[in-house]
Amino acid sequence: MLPNIEYSLSYSAPTGIERDALSALALNPDARWHERMDHALFVVTALHEGTRVGLGIVHNAVTAPTEAPRPMELGGMFVHPAYRRLGIRQYMAEARLTYALSMGGTPITVIDNRNHASWGYYERSPRWTPEREYTGYFTGLPMTIWVSTESSWHRTGMGLAPLVPAQPNTVLPQGLHRARPLAFGPDQDNAVPA
């Protein structure tokens, strides 16, 4: 049976006890880690029975040499080893990307070229494309900047129209079927159209 994972979203940099607890999830909470936390714009935390088991942040303390305007780095992603392969990383990655796009920034992520698991994910994903490779300032190792293919900056550079989010009170075109509300049966698990 899979554990029940809850997610907490925060729109400010964590401080005090919360920051200490989140730092305990990091492999090496060094000065760069704390700089990212100081500039966190969005933090998603995965919890299992009140224990923090995963963390992902969006920050604007970008040091990578990106050409992207208003870069928002999706950095600092950690999932406790006992909770991997449960979809936690995927959920947190989606939440961070959605946040950065909704704020009008250009989502980027920076991957150490030795991180084969992350490379595999980004290479397979149509939502990301490599911007450039460079030598990491802090590591001295090859790194790659990946940029969201859904960002206005990337789409405009490719000659595509930027994606525009639906606005509140949008009127649907005639002929589109509206979803009917669902009525739940006595077991609450099997929904049927009302």
Side-chain angles (χ1 to χ4, degrees):
M1 184 165 128
L2 294 176
N4 183 28
I5 304 297
E6 297 176 334
Y7 295 90
S8 170
L9 307 177
S10 174
Y11 299 91
S12 61
T15 60
I17 295 170
E18 181 67 14
R19 185 185 209 136
D20 292 342
L22 294 174
S23 294
L25 287 171
L27 298 175
N28 183 20
D30 57 10
R32 177 68 179 136
W33 164 259
H34 288 288
E35 181 182 18
R36 289 175 181 159
M37 294 300 271
D38 288 342
H39 293 88
L41 304 170
F42 179 77
V43 180
V44 57
T45 308
L47 301 119
H48 177 235
E49 297 178 357
T51 300
R52 293 165 188 85
V53 299
L55 162 72
I57 65 174
V58 176
H59 65 86
N60 60 4
V62 177
T63 59
T66 181
E67 297 291 323
R70 294 193 59 221
M72 299 176 92
E73 186 175 340
L74 285 57
M77 174 84 90
F78 300 97
V79 176
H80 187 283
Y83 290 86
R84 292 183 181 156
R85 301 207 178 279
L86 298 175
I88 294 171
R89 182 178 294 264
Q90 189 171 2
Y91 178 88
M92 291 191 306
E94 184 67 26
R96 294 181 316 156
L97 180 59
T98 298
Y99 170 80
L101 288 168
S102 72
M103 296 306 293
T106 303
I108 68 165
T109 191
V110 179
I111 304 297
D112 181 326
N113 289 3
R114 299 171 301 163
N115 185 339
H116 299 293
S118 288
W119 255 94
Y121 168 78
Y122 286 99
E123 279 184 319
R124 288 187 308 273
S125 176
R127 301 180 83 181
W128 294 93
T129 190
E131 179 191 356
R132 72 184 325 164
E133 188 174 300
Y134 72 103
T135 300
Y137 302 128
F138 299 100
T139 65
L141 298 169
M143 309 287 280
T144 300
I145 302 168
W146 294 79
V147 65
S148 168
T149 58
E150 297 172 14
S151 68
S152 293
W153 178 72
H154 174 76
R155 291 184 59 83
T156 302
M158 297 299 292
L160 303 170
L163 298 175
V164 178
Q167 299 301 309
N169 302 318
T170 298
V171 177
L172 294 175
Q174 293 296 322
L176 290 180
H177 299 286
R178 291 186 178 205
R180 295 189 307 181
L182 297 177
F184 289 91
D187 62 1
Q188 295 295 326
D189 288 332
N190 298 319
V192 296

